[in-house]
Amino acid sequence: MVAQPLNLLGLARGNPSGSSVPGTALEVLYLSAASREELSAPWWLLVLEGELILDLPHGDFRVLKTGDSLHLSAGLRLDWQPLEAAVVLRQRG
């Protein structure tokens, strides 16, 4: 039996508050507004679509574009702002 492909962009758009990717520890998010997260566990992020500005502590920031990924340590306070809308794949912990 061959598994059916999963459209991650469609999954994210269908539930903007976040959707788990079946059978994995991954989640897809559709980001259309600024938000803040306190990271209680490490995160790994991959931008699937769009661009995202991450404001990190101590005046540091990153601009992630489609295909860019980043590992973030636990304990960080993270502010993110999508440029237009962005779809992000993340793994916590």
Side-chain angles (χ1 to χ4, degrees):
M1 180 176 171
V2 176
Q4 295 296 313
L6 180 61
N7 184 327
L8 296 175
L9 299 176
L11 184 63
R13 289 184 188 118
N15 186 6
S17 63
S19 296
S20 294
V21 177
T24 72
L26 302 173
E27 179 179 32
V28 287
L29 299 169
Y30 179 82
L31 305 171
S32 59
S35 66
R36 174 173 284 169
E37 296 275 348
E38 190 78 34
L39 305 186
S40 59
W43 278 17
W44 173 83
L45 294 174
L46 171 65
V47 179
L48 297 175
E49 180 178 72
E51 291 184 42
L52 185 63
I53 298 172
L54 300 176
D55 285 325
L56 302 166
H58 312 293
D60 197 9
F61 72 95
R62 298 289 183 275
V63 178
L64 301 178
K65 299 178 181 185
T66 301
D68 290 343
S69 66
L70 185 65
H71 180 265
L72 300 165
S73 301
L76 287 178
R77 184 175 180 165
L78 173 69
D79 291 306
W80 47 14
Q81 173 68 51
L83 301 175
E84 298 183 20
V87 176
V88 174
L89 180 68
R90 74 177 173 187
Q91 178 182 19
R92 295 183 192 195

